[in-house]
Amino acid sequence: MSDYTAPIRDMQFVMRELADLDAVAGLPGCEEVSADLVDAILEEAGKFANGVLAPLNKIGDQEGAKWKDGEVTTAPGWIDAYRQFTEAGWTALASDPQYGGQGLPKLVSTAVMEMWKSANMAFSLCPMLTNGAIEALLLRGTDVQKDMYLPKMVSGEWTGTMNLTEPQAGSDLAAVRTRAEPQGDGTYKIFGQKIFITYGEHDLTDNIIHLVLARLPDAPEGVKGISLFVVPKFLVSADGSLGARNDVHCVSIEHKLGIHASPTCVLAFGDKGGAIGTLVGEANRGLEYMFIMMNEARFAVGMEGLALSERAYQHALQYAKDRVQGTEVGVRGGPKVNILHHPDVRRMLMSMKSQTEAMRALAYMVGAATDLAHLHPDDAVRAQNQAFVDLMIPVVKGWFTENSVDIASTGVQVHGGMGFIEETGAAQHLRDARITPIYEGTTAIQANDLIGRKIAREGGETIKGVIAGMRKVEAELGGVQDESFAAIRRTLGAGIEALEKAAGYIVATYGSDIKAAHVGSVPFLKLFGIVAGGWQMARAALVARRRLDEGSGDADFYRSKIVTARFYADHVLPQAHGLSYTVVNGAAGALALSEEAF
Amino acid sequence: MSDYTAPIRDMQFVMRELADLDAVAGLPGCEEVSADLVDAILEEAGKFANGVLAPLNKIGDQEGAKWKDGEVTTAPGWIDAYRQFTEAGWTALASDPQYGGQGLPKLVSTAVMEMWKSANMAFSLCPMLTNGAIEALLLRGTDVQKDMYLPKMVSGEWTGTMNLTEPQAGSDLAAVRTRAEPQGDGTYKIFGQKIFITYGEHDLTDNIIHLVLARLPDAPEGVKGISLFVVPKFLVSADGSLGARNDVHCVSIEHKLGIHASPTCVLAFGDKGGAIGTLVGEANRGLEYMFIMMNEARFAVGMEGLALSERAYQHALQYAKDRVQGTEVGVRGGPKVNILHHPDVRRMLMSMKSQTEAMRALAYMVGAATDLAHLHPDDAVRAQNQAFVDLMIPVVKGWFTENSVDIASTGVQVHGGMGFIEETGAAQHLRDARITPIYEGTTAIQANDLIGRKIAREGGETIKGVIAGMRKVEAELGGVQDESFAAIRRTLGAGIEALEKAAGYIVATYGSDIKAAHVGSVPFLKLFGIVAGGWQMARAALVARRRLDEGSGDADFYRSKIVTARFYADHVLPQAHGLSYTVVNGAAGALALSEEAF
């Protein structure tokens, strides 16, 4: 029932024909990347996702991770799947070759990451968090720290965690209270409690490397007094062998709405005299390091939104094809048909499909831009791409994840009454998706970052450039004599205009009335996402038209792409108008009530 | 954490100042209804909801109903709460006085029903289904059937169920296969399996009266060959005492996403020789009877959408008031504040609040119109109100329930990471809400009923009248010199125009291209709901303005109402434009793909 097949055809299309894989492959350091290599990687990753990870998704949901006496047992099959995952080298795909990684470009690792997350989101969180910890150490670790931890983390022999949140400090990291006491020998003793630590304890590996935010005794108040420490579960000797058990313990795991197989731990540091850790980078700059790594982590959570949407779509589509119910509307006495014949079921499936494809196109574009931003020899090209990435990350994180909740909910609806029965599996996708707009910064945090740091601070310069690019595509659409392209152009054009107006309001208002701007931030983020998705779908339709005109490639695929782009234009892009209105006019009503009036 | 307080103030406002309680109280048969009596009922119902039902809501979710060897055990506290519920007479509130009911108007029972459903939706389903069975027997039962079953069902001593669905016949009742064999003595033996039977088995009462759709041996194929039978769990003797156990057994209950405490049963009829039943009304007219009762049932499920939205709002609001996190935006170095100070949290709460109030106003208007349709002495007034009720029922059912999923999801988001933890309770509302757009006819079924039977069939006559009423309110708004009223008028006017355009398209297209019309049916239903909600909020704002100008009543309440109406106008009504566009233009893209292309 709950099978998954990696959508390799659409991935290839997006990588090659929208995100310019050739340009990425031409970057310094990407000499070994070729279309054939990428195809082989997608093929193998697809097999692993479909064959090993996807079948464990439901078992993981039903059995969950279990806590007993400080130990966490992962769901049945997890240990074996993790072993296979590391043996196949998947943990090392995007990592630095210096520490055993394969150093593949972001564009490629993005597609592979999508597969893991579609197949088994709860599983995928373990390598994802490990990657975050690897990044932190790469970024600011000492050579000793790097040599001690990185090779085994890149190989997957050890996993990593990120310890930020505390009960009183959720989104507000300024309130972190965990403390670090210098021992005079270069080590520190860490004391405090961290919550919501993903894979903070488990039975997959024999060591876990915790990255922990804490305060030094003389640290200033607030965000400028937080330092980053590395605290292994087992201390590591100079020869790499495991030493004493460190004083960090899992005191409980959460009972959650979804991702049951991903243990969400409460970790106690220093209950028995202090957890030994070492400082990463400079004192009091921990939050700054977190911010540098944030793009990576937020992009990855955005990918969960895409991945769960794809999974929910495949699930619902299969059901719609199998389920025979009723007769075709308007046909009296006709035969029973599958529910894909019913117009509203089609509308729901097209809505899931078109938004998923739009997100994929946008995500891979950001992936490719990340590669250009890191590796392109020209400073200006690097800077321009970095600005684009910085602008789009909150959209990828916020819009994709909000979408995934709606899309997974639509998937339940396609199943009718069966969607509400847990055995069917559709509800799991909704439950799993519901965390994604929350963790790694809620949608509001993304949206405020978007309108503040990414738009208002630079007077909207980068977004103006993006809008200019959208206008070019709009103009190109006008060159195609075809009803569908006229339809796409109509709502894309209106969407761009709505976006431009709202962006102008943000730039004009942010400095003078930040509260008013913040009321509109989430509607603005959704507006931006919708129009950016429409922009990419329009590009896809133009490419498809060109291929059809040339008579090259898979004509069925290209024809479907044009239909899907048109559906998006008729059903999704029209929302832009209302969102823009709300951004510009929505503050007064939202802010007028006194607290007592609620 | 998960407290509930019945929103009596807003209920009173809507009943008295929007839905014209006085007019309802003046109807024949409502002589005893007075404002004081209604206040006393709301007060007592509120106490029961807050004090008895609400505290069981989470226990019910956690423990659920349990099945063992054909018996179903309800969650802890259920038996006692049900006993108190019947002893207080709540089951009899709206029922026919001839059988022990109190015969209160729909407007009053609607408000009370809202409370039960907010407090504990899973519990409320038991009396709700019993009411459905009571209605069926009242409608077409013989005097013997009525005397045998109704007094004990009205008093709550026995409960009732509705048995429609079978595995192969979900939304498509034409496919019902359960058979009824006449025994020659006026009884029938029933054979077949029914699924999704709410409270089909439980331990609350010593008998359960099943209403069952089945086919007679000589019945025609399809919907015109289905008859309705009454099949008690225990046969009832002429003196009213319980006789032999009937051959209907619960073979399992479902493991569901939500409403865990409501047992959803698979019932086997006739595994041991045949379940004894008697025919209700005439043979082969069962589905017709179901349709007559459908308004009632769909309205009640729509009320679940309202009720869960209210509960989710109260839950999220309490958290927002309690949770201190971060400082006020734009205030450097200010004190920590509760999250209600953060503009996006306010936006979310106002969005929950304003839509909930809009739904309440619309629901109670439909409740009052139901009373007028049943009881008004003037034929024309009755007919006009019945037409309004028929038109609005699919909107109440479809729009409210779709909203409730979004609103409960927003409630989770307000809680941040805590929302994903089951102990918090916010996630339960989302899980419970998710069934409401599915059962008692999915949103698509509501929407197709709306555009077909309720609009296209009569050339849009009733909706044109409703739109004319909206236009009047729009004009009245123009008479108030105030920025908020200008804002409300702007988007209400645009919304009415969008609705009018879409309704015109439906009327013009339905006959010639029903598939195209069906693609737009759900967007049209949402559009209608949004504009109708805005219409009621505008009426509420006008009343509030009048009271403020007069200096009468609770000024704080009226000022909040105007702010809330304005928020709705700035944040919800602007969606009308895009939905209307999609209704009119959305068919081509939705229908173009071949099945193979999916």
Side-chain angles (χ1 to χ4, degrees):
Chain A
M1 278 300 290
S2 179
D3 289 338
Y4 166 72
T5 307
I8 290 180
R9 181 67 192 90
D10 199 52
M11 290 173 162
Q12 287 171 327
F13 169 73
V14 173
M15 293 170 82
R16 291 183 194 160
E17 302 191 70
L18 295 182
D20 204 349
L21 177 61
D22 284 349
V24 169
L27 292 169
C30 296
E31 290 76 10
E32 288 174 24
V33 177
S34 67
D36 283 352
L37 176 72
V38 171
D39 282 352
I41 291 171
L42 293 183
E43 185 82 14
E44 282 306 308
K47 274 188 209 163
F48 195 88
N50 309 349
V52 179
L53 297 183
L56 292 178
N57 193 43
K58 191 194 259 190
I59 298 166
D61 184 58
Q62 289 169 336
E63 302 287 330
K66 298 214 164 42
W67 180 94
K68 199 183 166 195
D69 300 332
E71 308 284 319
V72 170
T73 310
T74 52
W78 242 241
I79 290 176
D80 188 50
Y82 185 78
R83 186 187 48 74
Q84 291 183 58
F85 190 78
T86 57
E87 282 175 8
W90 293 119
T91 54
L93 203 67
S95 297
D96 191 334
Q98 197 186 335
Y99 298 100
Q102 297 170 46
L104 281 167
K106 182 82 177 171
L107 177 56
V108 178
S109 66
T110 294
V112 173
M113 170 161 64
E114 182 192 324
M115 295 185 195
W116 308 150
K117 290 181 177 297
S118 281
N120 195 326
M121 173 174 156
F123 180 92
S124 77
L125 288 168
C126 186
M128 170 180 151
L129 269 293
T130 304
N131 263 331
I134 289 172
E135 288 296 316
L137 290 170
L138 270 177
L139 187 71
R140 290 294 183 267
T142 62
D143 285 343
V144 172
Q145 286 170 330
K146 288 182 188 170
D147 291 341
M148 184 174 281
Y149 299 117
L150 286 179
K152 293 195 175 175
M153 292 172 79
V154 168
S155 72
E157 190 175 336
W158 297 344
T159 67
T161 71
M162 303 300 292
N163 290 247
L164 285 67
T165 308
E166 300 176 10
Q168 79 293 349
S171 301
D172 177 20
L173 291 171
V176 157
R177 285 204 291 249
T178 295
R179 40 196 188 87
E181 292 181 358
Q183 299 302 300
D185 62 352
T187 70
Y188 297 79
K189 282 195 171 174
I190 313 287
F191 301 89
Q193 194 180 70
K194 295 286 183 178
I195 62 169
F196 295 163
I197 309 308
T198 300
Y199 282 92
E201 180 58 57
H202 60 74
D203 56 4
L204 301 176
T205 58
D206 56 9
N207 206 2
I208 302 173
I209 312 305
H210 304 292
L211 276 285
V212 185
L213 290 183
R215 289 183 184 283
L216 289 165
D218 55 352
E221 285 289 297
V223 293
K224 291 186 178 166
I226 298 171
S227 305
L228 182 64
F229 297 86
V230 55
V231 183
K233 176 178 168 185
F234 284 94
L235 298 175
V236 181
S237 314
D239 65 358
S241 64
L242 294 189
R245 180 72 165 86
N246 207 350
D247 184 12
V248 45
H249 296 278
C250 177
V251 295
S252 64
I253 65 174
E254 307 292 350
H255 174 219
K256 306 187 300 294
L257 176 62
I259 51 168
H260 294 160
S262 166
T264 302
C265 303
V266 177
L267 290 187
F269 292 84
D271 276 1
K272 297 171 185 167
I276 308 291
T278 53
L279 181 68
V280 179
E282 293 175 39
N284 299 331
R285 295 183 64 181
L287 214 61
E288 191 189 318
Y289 303 156
M290 285 294 136
F291 266 90
I292 300 175
M293 298 190 310
M294 218 164 253
N295 269 357
E296 181 85 15
R298 292 182 168 179
F299 182 80
V301 174
M303 289 299 295
E304 292 174 359
L306 163 59
L308 288 170
S309 299
E310 173 68 33
R311 181 77 187 251
Y313 169 66
Q314 290 192 19
H315 204 151
L317 177 61
Q318 194 55 52
Y319 184 82
K321 286 184 170 177
D322 293 344
R323 175 71 171 173
V324 173
Q325 170 110 303
T327 56
E328 186 124 4
V329 63
V331 180
R332 271 205 186 272
K336 302 274 179 188
V337 294
N338 70 21
I339 62 173
L340 190 53
H341 286 254
H342 303 329
D344 190 66
V345 172
R346 254 176 187 266
R347 182 191 62 80
M348 289 193 278
L349 289 167
M350 286 298 297
S351 137
M352 299 171 82
K353 174 180 165 69
S354 65
Q355 292 181 91
T356 302
E357 291 182 17
M359 289 190 276
R360 180 173 298 119
L362 194 58
Y364 291 18
M365 288 296 289
V366 174
T370 306
D371 290 322
L372 293 167
H374 289 165
L375 302 173
H376 199 280
D378 183 332
D379 287 354
V381 175
R382 282 208 309 280
Q384 193 191 1
N385 278 282
Q386 189 61 50
F388 177 71
V389 170
D390 290 342
L391 178 70
M392 297 314 293
I393 289 289
V395 178
V396 168
K397 165 44 165 106
W399 183 58
F400 286 22
T401 59
E402 293 278 341
N403 280 352
S404 73
V405 175
D406 291 343
I407 289 171
S409 183
T410 302
V412 171
Q413 189 73 14
V414 170
H415 287 78
M418 293 308 295
F420 200 62
I421 307 298
E422 286 287 6
E423 281 77 3
T424 306
Q428 183 190 346
H429 307 314
L430 174 58
R431 291 189 286 95
D432 287 351
R434 195 61 198 79
I435 188 59
T436 63
I438 295 174
Y439 65 9
E440 205 55 47
T442 63
T443 306
I445 287 175
Q446 307 304 321
N448 293 340
D449 174 57
L450 174 67
I451 66 167
R453 282 186 212 92
K454 309 300 175 61
I455 294 180
R457 190 153 73 181
E458 55 162 37
E461 194 188 319
T462 306
I463 194 173
K464 278 177 199 158
V466 171
I467 289 173
M470 293 175 173
R471 288 275 184 216
K472 265 194 210 160
V473 173
E474 185 197 351
E476 270 186 74
L477 292 165
V480 185
Q481 298 306 313
D482 177 288
E483 191 202 347
S484 288
F485 284 80
I488 296 170
R489 189 180 183 203
R490 194 159 50 236
T491 56
L492 180 63
I496 297 169
E497 203 172 303
L499 175 63
E500 203 158 27
K501 196 169 169 184
Y505 169 85
I506 294 293
V507 170
T509 311
Y510 195 86
S512 57
D513 189 352
I514 191 169
K515 277 199 158 185
H518 272 209
V519 169
S521 67
V522 169
F524 180 80
L525 177 146
K526 290 183 183 174
L527 166 63
F528 194 4
I530 284 169
V531 179
W535 168 43
Q536 293 307 319
M537 290 305 281
R539 290 186 63 223
L542 286 165
V543 169
R545 181 75 264 159
R546 215 149 45 227
R547 297 286 177 262
L548 288 168
D549 291 345
E550 295 161 4
S552 69
D554 178 353
D556 286 340
F557 176 85
Y558 291 122
R559 271 192 294 267
S560 294
K561 188 57 89 174
I562 293 171
V563 170
T564 308
R566 179 178 182 170
F567 180 93
Y568 187 97
D570 293 342
H571 288 251
V572 183
L573 274 170
Q575 298 167 30
H577 173 272
L579 289 165
S580 182
Y581 184 92
T582 295
V583 171
V584 175
N585 299 282
L591 299 173
L593 285 195
S594 67
E595 184 167 338
E596 297 69 38
F598 274 92
Chain B
M1 277 303 288
S2 179
D3 289 338
Y4 166 71
T5 306
I8 290 180
R9 181 67 192 90
D10 198 53
M11 290 174 162
Q12 288 170 327
F13 169 75
V14 173
M15 293 170 83
R16 291 183 193 158
E17 303 191 70
L18 295 182
D20 203 349
L21 177 62
D22 285 348
V24 170
L27 292 169
C30 297
E31 290 76 10
E32 287 173 25
V33 177
S34 66
D36 283 353
L37 175 73
V38 171
D39 282 352
I41 291 170
L42 294 184
E43 185 82 13
E44 282 306 307
K47 273 189 209 161
F48 196 89
N50 308 350
V52 179
L53 297 183
L56 291 177
N57 194 43
K58 192 194 256 189
I59 298 166
D61 184 59
Q62 289 169 336
E63 302 287 330
K66 298 215 162 45
W67 181 94
K68 198 182 167 197
D69 300 333
E71 309 282 319
V72 171
T73 309
T74 52
W78 242 240
I79 291 177
D80 189 51
Y82 185 77
R83 186 187 49 74
Q84 292 183 57
F85 191 78
T86 57
E87 282 174 7
W90 293 120
T91 54
L93 202 68
S95 296
D96 191 333
Q98 197 185 338
Y99 299 99
Q102 297 170 44
L104 281 167
K106 182 83 176 172
L107 177 56
V108 179
S109 67
T110 294
V112 173
M113 171 162 63
E114 183 192 323
M115 295 185 196
W116 308 151
K117 290 180 176 299
S118 281
N120 195 327
M121 173 174 157
F123 181 91
S124 77
L125 288 168
C126 187
M128 170 180 151
L129 270 293
T130 304
N131 263 331
I134 290 172
E135 288 295 315
L137 289 170
L138 271 177
L139 186 72
R140 290 293 184 268
T142 62
D143 286 342
V144 172
Q145 286 170 332
K146 288 182 189 170
D147 291 341
M148 185 173 281
Y149 299 116
L150 286 179
K152 293 195 174 174
M153 292 172 79
V154 169
S155 72
E157 190 175 333
W158 299 342
T159 66
T161 71
M162 304 299 292
N163 290 247
L164 284 69
T165 308
E166 300 176 11
Q168 80 293 350
S171 300
D172 178 18
L173 291 170
V176 158
R177 283 203 294 248
T178 295
R179 38 196 191 86
E181 293 181 358
Q183 300 301 300
D185 61 353
T187 69
Y188 298 79
K189 283 195 170 174
I190 313 287
F191 301 90
Q193 194 180 71
K194 295 286 182 179
I195 61 168
F196 294 163
I197 309 309
T198 299
Y199 282 93
E201 180 58 56
H202 61 74
D203 55 5
L204 301 176
T205 58
D206 56 9
N207 206 3
I208 303 172
I209 313 305
H210 304 292
L211 276 287
V212 185
L213 290 182
R215 290 183 183 281
L216 289 165
D218 56 353
E221 285 290 296
V223 293
K224 291 186 177 164
I226 297 172
S227 306
L228 182 64
F229 297 87
V230 55
V231 183
K233 176 179 169 184
F234 284 95
L235 298 175
V236 181
S237 313
D239 65 359
S241 63
L242 293 189
R245 180 73 164 84
N246 207 351
D247 184 13
V248 46
H249 296 279
C250 176
V251 295
S252 64
I253 64 174
E254 306 292 351
H255 173 219
K256 308 189 298 296
L257 176 61
I259 52 168
H260 294 161
S262 167
T264 302
C265 303
V266 177
L267 290 186
F269 292 85
D271 276 2
K272 297 169 184 169
I276 308 292
T278 54
L279 181 69
V280 179
E282 294 175 37
N284 299 331
R285 295 183 63 182
L287 215 60
E288 191 188 318
Y289 304 156
M290 285 293 137
F291 265 90
I292 300 174
M293 298 190 309
M294 217 164 255
N295 270 356
E296 181 85 16
R298 291 182 169 179
F299 182 79
V301 174
M303 288 300 295
E304 292 173 1
L306 163 59
L308 288 170
S309 299
E310 173 68 34
R311 181 79 189 249
Y313 169 66
Q314 289 192 19
H315 205 150
L317 176 61
Q318 194 56 52
Y319 184 81
K321 285 184 170 177
D322 292 346
R323 174 70 171 174
V324 173
Q325 170 111 303
T327 56
E328 185 124 4
V329 64
V331 180
R332 271 202 188 273
K336 302 274 178 189
V337 294
N338 71 21
I339 61 172
L340 190 54
H341 286 253
H342 303 329
D344 191 65
V345 172
R346 255 176 185 267
R347 182 191 63 80
M348 290 193 277
L349 289 167
M350 286 298 296
S351 139
M352 300 171 82
K353 174 180 165 69
S354 65
Q355 291 182 89
T356 302
E357 291 183 16
M359 289 190 275
R360 180 173 298 118
L362 194 59
Y364 291 19
M365 288 296 289
V366 174
T370 307
D371 290 323
L372 292 167
H374 289 166
L375 302 173
H376 199 280
D378 183 332
D379 287 355
V381 175
R382 282 207 309 279
Q384 193 192 0
N385 278 282
Q386 189 61 51
F388 177 71
V389 171
D390 290 344
L391 178 70
M392 297 313 294
I393 289 289
V395 179
V396 168
K397 169 31 168 115
W399 183 57
F400 286 22
T401 60
E402 294 278 341
N403 280 352
S404 73
V405 175
D406 290 343
I407 289 171
S409 184
T410 302
V412 170
Q413 189 73 15
V414 170
H415 287 78
M418 292 307 295
F420 199 63
I421 307 299
E422 287 287 5
E423 281 77 2
T424 306
Q428 183 190 346
H429 307 314
L430 174 58
R431 290 189 286 95
D432 286 352
R434 196 63 198 75
I435 188 59
T436 63
I438 296 174
Y439 65 9
E440 205 55 49
T442 62
T443 306
I445 287 175
Q446 307 303 322
N448 294 338
D449 175 58
L450 174 67
I451 67 166
R453 284 186 210 91
K454 309 300 175 60
I455 294 180
R457 190 153 75 180
E458 56 162 37
E461 195 189 318
T462 306
I463 195 173
K464 278 178 199 155
V466 171
I467 288 173
M470 293 175 174
R471 288 276 185 217
K472 265 194 209 159
V473 172
E474 185 196 350
E476 269 186 75
L477 292 166
V480 185
Q481 298 308 312
D482 177 288
E483 191 203 347
S484 287
F485 284 80
I488 296 170
R489 189 181 184 201
R490 192 157 53 234
T491 56
L492 180 62
I496 298 169
E497 204 173 301
L499 176 62
E500 203 158 28
K501 195 168 170 187
Y505 169 86
I506 294 293
V507 170
T509 312
Y510 195 87
S512 58
D513 189 352
I514 191 169
K515 277 199 158 186
H518 271 210
V519 169
S521 67
V522 168
F524 180 79
L525 178 145
K526 290 184 183 174
L527 166 62
F528 194 3
I530 284 169
V531 178
W535 169 40
Q536 294 306 320
M537 289 306 281
R539 289 185 64 223
L542 286 165
V543 169
R545 181 74 264 158
R546 217 151 43 227
R547 298 285 178 265
L548 288 168
D549 291 345
E550 295 162 4
S552 69
D554 177 352
D556 286 342
F557 177 85
Y558 291 122
R559 272 193 292 267
S560 294
K561 189 57 90 174
I562 294 171
V563 170
T564 307
R566 179 178 183 170
F567 180 93
Y568 188 96
D570 293 341
H571 288 251
V572 184
L573 274 170
Q575 297 168 29
H577 174 273
L579 289 165
S580 182
Y581 184 93
T582 294
V583 172
V584 175
N585 299 283
L591 299 173
L593 284 195
S594 68
E595 184 168 337
E596 297 68 40
F598 274 92

